[in-house]
Amino acid sequence: MNNIAFHEAIPGYFEDLGSELWLKLAIFGDQPAKVSVRIEPDNEEFLIPMNRVSEKAGWVHYEAKVVKSEHIDLTLYLFKLVWEKDSQWLSAVGLEPHMPINAHMFRYTHDRRLPTWSCSQVFYQIFPDRFANGDPSITPTSGEYKYLGEQDIVVKQWDDLPSSETGGFEFFGGDLPGIESKLSYLNDTLGVTALYLNPVFSSQSNHKYDTTDYYNVDKQFGGNDALESLISSMKSRDMPIVLDAVINHTSLAHPWVESAKNGHEVDKTRFVWSDEGYIWSWKGHHSLPVLDFGCEQNVTDFITGEDSVIRKWMQPPYAIDGWRMDVVHMLGEGKGARNNDKHLRTLRETVKHENEHAMLLGEHFFEATDWLQGDQEDCAMNYFGFAHPIRAFLANLDISGDPVSITALETTKWMRQARARVSFSHQLMQFNQLDSHDTPRFLTMLNGNKARMKMAISILMSYIGVPCLYYATEIGMEGGADPDCRRTFPWDESQWDENIFTHTQHWINIRKTYPALQTGALVDVYADQDCFVYARVLGEQTVLVAVNRGEAKDQPMHLNFPNQKGSWKALDANTNPSVTHGEAIVSMPAESVQAWVLEK
């Protein structure tokens, strides 16, 4: 058999009809004698015949309606193709010669309270202390207080480098007025459209992941008025903002800690205690005592109460557009994460009650599939499905910094299987980053290879999911592990890598210009040892992306997409593909990413 099959939950192939789903499947090549949709309305297989309805340019279209599952808020489905002497299944990972595992089934979540606006955004992550100083009068001074009552804080010059010796208690003076003063640079010059800020609430550290007061923005950042002003300026530009919530643990300096140690009945129940009688700390960091969500007062104060932390900042005058939940998979009751799913569902209901389109973003360094089935998070920081495989492919490193040798074919298989385990809607909202405040800078992981850095930026802007740049990536910032990855932004443009900057600008513009890159299906086209090719397909628009980390070559491949016609136009390429009857030759320069759009 020589056939290709296509389906994804994009317009023209999928529609939610209320109690039913309308599905369309396109098949090119040898047509099956029988085509069915497999669903599990009561956990048992049920096959529904599909009707052949049309044919166009060799693609035959089949349609069917299926009833949504009623016993769960998720409908799973597959397609079965039967020929005279063979059969195949189309799952979310592609054609398979046998019945796919459940993890590969197409899935549609029934809860449609989703931040679909995020798909058209280009996010920018800012570590506030290191981005820009807009008000020197609120910059702390060395020795102003002792961090956790033990060590004098240190204030450095803007051009100094961070030091591991003074890590969490050294300050450079970045603040929220500084971010507001740079909105024109971010939005007008660079082109990003939304911000994710690391924690801004009161804390004795520079990173603010050890909160002492969840109801007030740190005075070092300008206080609540500065956040209100920043958000007002962003809203005038239609720029959404997502803040960082740290409710799995608090600071050793939080008033509850001392109160608990003194025997206060309620505050003592707020924390997880060891068998030896001391407060349990997050991953052994004594400064981060773990909160116990078996304590109903914690649930009320942080999540469900009328004036809870989660609600306060989602309401006027702030009305933030979403929360990034720090280590949210670890939140629970007792020493482990018991009843984590229960509390995540409660968190979701609270967030969606305030704003059904708000983003609920979870931090997960590893696979987040279980949290992305429609009843908990909207999206996750996509380390597992994007950052890890791209790092392995381009930098030959895993998350621990250990060496990895992986082919392009293996990389695409990893990424395809990761995205197949969540619904298409959730694939579109996955939060993709190359690096962050918790990892070395990507350019440093590449040992300064700027060609591969540009490749990574191109992939980030063209892959399925929401792209997010870590501050100063666009100017070629380097940096090792924390705290070196948290250097200050050098506003002296002579220190910028102009080539990386203009490349980033160009690709941000491409991302924003072509809807297929924002909400289109992702189709794997080709992969071998060093190169892989994928397409983003939406309606009559197709964007083709060719990634090559190896030597220059002319690569034959099959280019055939349903409902597509026209000629290829270069978006970022030296030449256009040579195509005859669907067979193409694509020229790939060494260490490059090229892109084309198919236009009538």
Side-chain angles (χ1 to χ4, degrees):
M1 294 180 295
N2 178 23
N3 57 284
I4 309 171
F6 174 80
H7 169 80
E8 195 49 272
I10 59 175
Y13 289 86
F14 181 96
E15 186 176 356
D16 186 339
L17 301 175
S19 61
E20 294 180 312
L21 301 177
W22 171 81
L23 308 175
K24 184 165 81 171
L25 173 68
I27 301 175
F28 184 88
D30 301 326
Q31 294 301 305
K34 182 170 59 176
V35 180
S36 306
V37 185
R38 180 188 186 274
I39 59 173
E40 296 181 344
D42 51 7
N43 291 330
E44 179 62 35
E45 174 182 87
F46 188 66
L47 292 172
I48 299 172
M50 298 193 77
N51 298 316
R52 180 170 174 162
V53 294
S54 63
E55 181 175 357
K56 184 177 180 181
W59 287 87
V60 178
H61 301 110
Y62 299 82
E63 296 179 2
K65 293 179 181 178
V66 302
V67 176
K68 288 183 182 177
S69 297
E70 295 183 359
H71 63 294
I72 55 173
D73 291 327
L74 185 71
T75 297
L76 305 174
Y77 62 96
L78 295 164
F79 299 96
K80 186 176 184 180
L81 289 58
V82 181
W83 288 265
E84 182 179 356
K85 296 183 179 181
D86 199 2
S87 62
Q88 289 188 326
W89 296 81
L90 180 67
S91 72
V93 299
L95 285 169
E96 302 192 56
H98 54 77
M99 182 181 291
I101 62 174
N102 283 356
H104 291 178
M105 295 182 75
F106 290 103
R107 57 199 59 226
Y108 180 72
T109 58
H110 299 172
D111 186 345
R112 306 313 295 168
R113 297 173 298 173
L114 301 172
T116 53
W117 53 266
S118 66
C119 303
S120 61
Q121 305 298 322
V122 177
F123 268 84
Y124 193 86
Q125 178 190 349
I126 294 177
F127 192 87
D129 183 58
R130 310 295 159 83
F131 186 65
N133 186 324
D135 184 357
S137 71
I138 59 175
T139 301
T141 58
S142 290
E144 183 175 317
Y145 61 87
K146 290 185 180 293
Y147 176 66
L148 301 180
E150 299 172 356
Q151 296 162 305
D152 287 334
I153 64 167
V154 176
V155 178
K156 292 189 168 183
Q157 297 299 308
W158 192 257
D159 293 335
D160 291 344
L161 292 177
S163 168
S164 58
E165 294 180 0
T166 49
F169 55 93
E170 62 180 14
F171 297 84
F172 289 81
D175 51 33
L176 299 187
I179 297 173
E180 185 173 358
S181 72
K182 300 299 182 182
L183 288 181
S184 178
Y185 161 77
L186 292 167
N187 191 219
D188 302 328
T189 304
L190 181 59
V192 300
T193 61
L195 298 184
Y196 150 49
L197 303 188
N198 287 108
V200 298
F201 305 119
S202 296
S203 164
Q204 292 188 6
S205 70
N206 55 49
H207 52 73
K208 312 300 180 192
Y209 280 99
D210 49 353
T211 313
T212 58
D213 180 357
Y214 292 89
Y215 289 92
N216 286 289
V217 172
D218 201 296
K219 63 180 183 179
Q220 297 168 352
F221 290 163
N224 294 3
D225 289 344
L227 179 62
E228 183 180 349
S229 178
L230 170 62
I231 291 174
S232 176
S233 293
M234 290 180 64
K235 288 188 182 301
S236 71
R237 292 173 170 271
D238 293 322
M239 294 181 71
I241 185 170
V242 172
L243 295 186
D244 211 326
V246 189
I247 65 173
N248 173 72
H249 50 265
T250 187
S251 169
L252 192 63
H254 195 288
W256 290 342
V257 175
E258 189 65 27
S259 176
K261 289 179 178 179
N262 290 333
H264 187 280
E265 185 175 344
V266 173
D267 288 345
K268 191 171 182 180
T269 64
R270 290 184 183 275
F271 296 99
V272 179
W273 293 80
S274 72
D275 296 337
E276 292 77 22
Y278 59 83
I279 296 177
W280 197 262
S281 57
W282 180 76
K283 299 185 75 170
H285 296 282
H286 81 284
S287 62
L288 304 174
V290 173
L291 291 160
D292 189 343
F293 277 77
C295 169
E296 283 301 320
Q297 194 61 49
N298 279 343
V299 176
T300 299
D301 289 345
F302 284 106
I303 303 175
T304 60
E306 290 186 7
D307 59 348
S308 71
V309 173
I310 292 299
R311 293 188 193 277
K312 172 183 170 64
W313 303 102
M314 296 188 71
Q315 296 171 351
Y318 311 102
I320 66 170
D321 300 283
W323 285 109
R324 181 265 194 188
M325 304 302 299
D326 185 59
V327 297
V328 70
H329 57 293
M330 302 178 75
L331 183 148
E333 302 169 9
K335 295 178 185 176
R338 187 168 64 250
N339 287 329
N340 176 267
D341 56 345
K342 166 191 166 184
H343 295 294
L344 263 291
R345 292 186 185 100
T346 300
L347 175 63
R348 178 178 184 81
E349 288 305 313
T350 298
V351 168
K352 299 305 179 180
H353 180 267
E354 295 299 326
N355 177 1
E356 67 177 24
H357 299 300
M359 175 189 287
L360 183 54
L361 166 65
E363 181 201 19
H364 300 265
F365 256 90
F366 302 97
E367 185 177 355
T369 298
D370 291 346
W371 289 266
L372 296 170
Q373 298 305 309
D375 60 339
Q376 298 180 51
E377 299 166 15
D378 295 315
C379 48
M381 297 187 76
N382 197 16
Y383 285 104
F384 181 75
F386 182 81
H388 292 351
I390 296 302
R391 179 192 300 115
F393 179 69
L394 291 178
N396 302 115
L397 295 172
D398 71 4
I399 181 58
S400 301
D402 294 324
V404 172
S405 179
I406 189 170
T407 68
L409 182 62
E410 292 164 340
T411 301
T412 56
K413 180 180 179 181
W414 178 356
M415 299 175 80
R416 181 168 60 251
Q417 290 183 340
R419 67 177 183 264
R421 298 174 188 181
V422 301
S423 78
F424 180 68
S425 296
H426 288 80
Q427 292 177 37
L428 292 173
M429 296 182 297
Q430 284 287 72
F431 208 73
N432 294 337
Q433 292 185 280
L434 298 169
D435 48 17
S436 73
H437 63 290
D438 284 327
T439 72
R441 294 273 180 173
F442 202 78
L443 184 56
T444 297
M445 288 189 276
L446 292 170
N447 293 318
N449 187 324
K450 295 180 180 180
R452 290 200 174 191
M453 186 69 222
K454 291 166 61 177
M455 290 177 65
I457 291 168
S458 302
I459 297 169
L460 176 66
M461 294 299 161
S462 58
Y463 193 72
I464 192 168
V466 179
C468 180
L469 286 167
Y470 184 39
Y471 77 96
T473 294
E474 73 274 15
I475 62 168
M477 174 81 85
E478 291 212 45
D482 171 23
D484 195 39
C485 58
R486 304 173 182 182
R487 299 179 188 179
T488 55
F489 193 111
W491 290 104
D492 177 359
E493 294 186 26
S494 67
Q495 299 179 45
W496 297 8
D497 187 299
E498 188 65 27
N499 192 256
I500 292 178
F501 182 74
T502 56
H503 180 84
T504 305
Q505 280 182 310
H506 179 59
W507 268 96
I508 289 174
N509 184 60
I510 291 174
R511 172 80 185 197
K512 291 172 9 181
T513 299
Y514 294 94
L517 294 178
Q518 301 166 26
T519 57
L522 191 145
V523 179
D524 288 317
V525 175
Y526 176 84
D528 58 22
Q529 178 72 27
D530 289 317
C531 71
F532 61 91
V533 180
Y534 55 90
R536 301 295 303 278
V537 178
L538 183 68
E540 296 185 347
Q541 186 177 94
T542 298
V543 175
L544 186 70
V545 181
V547 179
N548 179 28
R549 71 178 177 187
E551 299 297 323
K553 65 176 180 177
D554 293 334
Q555 181 61 53
M557 64 188 67
H558 190 72
L559 296 181
N560 188 4
F561 308 100
N563 301 328
Q564 305 294 303
K565 60 182 179 180
S567 57
W568 293 102
K569 169 191 171 185
L571 299 178
D572 191 358
N574 298 329
T575 60
N576 291 331
S578 173
V579 185
T580 305
H581 303 300
E583 299 302 322
I585 301 293
V586 178
S587 295
M588 298 184 181
E591 292 192 317
S592 70
V593 173
Q594 297 194 110
W596 305 265
V597 62
L598 190 63
E599 292 190 335
K600 289 184 178 180

